[in-house]
Amino acid sequence: MSSPKRIHVYGHVSAQPQAVADLFGAEVASEVVSDSDLAIFAINPAAGIDQATIDKWAALSEYQLPRLVVVNELEGSDADFEDAIMLANRVFDQLVTPYLVLHSDAGQPIALISLDTLEIIDYTTKPASVSMSEKEHQDLVDEFREEYLEQIAGAGEDAFAAGLLFPAIPIVISNGLGADVVKKFIDLL
């Protein structure tokens, strides 16, 4: 059994860093912690990314610490995952998006589609169910998938653990969307 990971969460209070930390057995860090196993940056797409969070990302770059971004607060907002990624790509480093969000007819985030396998994780079931996507979904994500696969091929298998590849994962704490995906990344360390 491996020892517990030292995970620190950074982000503006609007992104609920404490709730994110609780979800992943982490601590909220108000200052840069360089001896972490992983830094998770929580972003609320409606609030943007504050300068203090940007500064912490830059400071951790010096240590090549594994980092990932969770985009929280996706429900009930006009801002979405893609908006958050576009902003984060400008103020952090280039992120990779291994999953995209699928919404219900009412506009609520309810599922993720893997850009690697094209499988859909449906969080409306307990536990979440996995199924192969239909051609309609595959066509919608085709360009995103090509870009993602190119980024992964260029970076190499261990790039995340080496602190060279930065995944961005959408999460919804209330229905568990994306939490399992983040835990899989944590398990890679």
Side-chain angles (χ1 to χ4, degrees), residues 114-164:
S114 166
L115 295 181
D116 182 27
T117 65
L118 296 174
E119 291 176 322
I120 292 177
I121 307 170
D122 180 355
Y123 295 92
T124 62
T125 62
K126 298 293 181 222
S129 58
V130 178
S131 62
M132 183 47 102
S133 60
E134 297 176 10
K135 178 146 178 38
E136 171 188 353
H137 286 118
Q138 294 174 14
D139 291 344
L140 285 172
V141 302
D142 188 53
E143 287 181 40
F144 296 103
R145 182 173 196 248
E146 284 182 35
E147 180 182 336
Y148 170 71
L149 293 175
E150 285 176 17
Q151 288 174 310
I152 295 300
E157 276 185 41
D158 298 326
F160 167 67
L164 302 172

Side-chain angles (χ1 to χ4, degrees), residues 31-53:
E31 300 296 324
V32 170
V33 180
S34 63
D35 64 345
S36 294
D37 293 311
L38 173 66
I40 297 176
F41 283 78
I43 298 175
N44 174 341
I49 305 171
D50 65 309
Q51 189 61 50
T53 302

